[in-house]
């Protein structure tokens, strides 16, 4: 499924790379605030749901070829995080919902 | 091909630099993407370990047609009990490091899982050396 369809369906905010939503293919999601957990277990093409708000999130997302990052609970990405996101071409998205609700809604789309 | 990178302890903004660079090289060499992912996971964990625990470190990556050999050498507090450090969930990371989502005690286990050969040697108050070999085919 294209990232743009997920953004539309779930009413997500787009903080960066809005021009890339059309190209990115999403295979599912992964919810975690532990970077090593995501490093070890997330799969290419997944959307990462987290409350971690720093540049290293983008390093992990890029190394794992993730589709996008969703920041939960109305968190706004810090400047370095956003900058890195533009460099890597991986969109940072946002929602007012908490991780449990966000994961549930994304899960429904894929199951 | 040989590549060298330096790491500063405590500087999380550059963690992932070496992994990202090695990933690009391996992609250019048309290495299987599953193999690249394993290498990159292990190397990233190694970088983060130096940033989180040591004062400074050096990474050397040596790539040939058969394998990639990575040596991560740091000056730091060293590891008194390597067996314990290899235990999943065991961590000595600071509160600050944990708040960033690191230090869950998954680093060395992730490295072991994602390399073909892993060797960790350490001297307390001197530093730690990690050697990782992964075969490309």
């Amino acid at each position: 499924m294209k990232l743009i369809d997920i953004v539309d369906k779930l009413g997500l905010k787009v903080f960066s790379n809005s021009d890339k939503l059309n190209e990115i293919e999403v295979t599912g999601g992964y919810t975690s605030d532990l970077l090593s957990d995501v490093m070890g277990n997330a799969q290419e093409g997944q959307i990462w749901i987290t409350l971690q708000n720093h540049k290293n999130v983008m390093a992990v997302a890029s190394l794992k070829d993730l589709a996008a990052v969703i920041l939960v609970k109305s968190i706004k990405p810090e400047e370095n995080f956003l900058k890195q996101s533009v460099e890597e071409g991986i969109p940072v998205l946002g929602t007012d919902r908490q991780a449990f609700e966000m994961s549930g809604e994304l899960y429904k789309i894929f199951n | 091909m040989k590549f060298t990178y330096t790491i500063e302890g405590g500087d999380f903004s550059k963690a992932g630099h070496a992994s990202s660079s090695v990933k690009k090289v391996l992609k250019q060499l048309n290495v299987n993407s599953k193999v690249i992912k394993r290498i990159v996971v292990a190397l990233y964990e190694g970088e983060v370990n130096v940033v989180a625990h040591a004062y400074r470190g050096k990474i050397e990556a040596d790539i040939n047609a058969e394998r990639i050999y990575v040596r991560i050498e740091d000056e730091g507090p060293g590891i008194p009990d390597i067996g314990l450090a290899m235990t999943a969930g065991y961590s000595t990371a600071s509160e600050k490091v944990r708040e960033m989502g690191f230090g869950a005690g998954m680093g060395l286990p992730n490295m072991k899982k994602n390399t073909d050969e892993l060797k960790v040697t350490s001297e307390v108050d001197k530093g730690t050396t990690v050697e990782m070999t992964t075969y490309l085919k």
Side-chain angles (χ1 to χ4, degrees), chain A residues 58-99:
Chain A
M58 221 10 99
V60 172
S62 163
L63 291 170
K64 296 293 286 185
D65 295 317
L66 301 183
V69 175
I70 299 179
L71 288 176
V72 294
K73 299 205 297 185
S74 315
I75 294 169
K76 289 196 179 66
E78 56 170 52
E79 202 188 321
N80 286 335
F81 184 10
L82 263 190
K83 240 192 252 169
Q84 191 72 19
S85 139
V86 173
E87 251 170 59
E88 304 286 357
I90 300 175
V92 179
L93 311 171
T95 177
D96 299 338
R97 287 159 282 203
Q98 43 103 320

Side-chain angles (χ1 to χ4, degrees), chain A residues 42-62:
Chain A
Q43 302 295 321
E44 179 173 348
Q46 289 179 335
I47 295 180
W48 177 8
I49 299 172
T50 187
L51 50 68
Q52 289 292 351
N53 182 12
H54 52 85
K55 192 180 156 182
N56 300 92
V57 169
M58 221 10 99
V60 172
S62 163

Side-chain angles (χ1 to χ4, degrees), chain A residues 33-37 39-41 44 52 54-56 59-60 62-65, chain B residues 12-13 15 19-20 23 37 40-41 44-45 99-102 104 106 110 113:
Chain A
D33 298 320
L34 293 177
L35 275 68
S36 279
D37 177 37
M39 224 32 220
N41 300 298
E44 179 173 348
Q52 289 292 351
H54 52 85
K55 192 180 156 182
N56 300 92
V60 172
S62 163
L63 291 170
K64 296 293 286 185
D65 295 317
Chain B
F12 275 97
S13 72
S19 326
S20 175
K23 184 184 177 188
K37 287 220 165 65
V40 158
V41 168
Y44 182 75
E45 296 289 4
E99 272 171 18
M100 291 176 80
F102 295 113
M106 299 166 89
N110 262 355
K113 203 169 87 183

Side-chain angles (χ1 to χ4, degrees), chain B residues 76-103:
Chain B
I79 305 172
D81 184 341
I82 291 171
L84 187 57
M86 294 297 297
T87 312
Y90 179 81
S91 176
T92 57
S94 68
E95 194 56 38
K96 185 187 153 231
V97 168
R98 285 172 202 255
E99 272 171 18
M100 291 176 80
F102 295 113

Side-chain angles (χ1 to χ4, degrees), chain B residues 19 24 37 44 47 51 60-61 74 89 93 101 111 133-134 137:
Chain B
S19 326
K24 281 185 194 121
K37 287 220 165 65
Y44 182 75
E47 281 187 75
V51 175
E60 285 170 6
D74 74 46
M111 286 159 80
T133 304
T134 300
K137 279 166 198 156

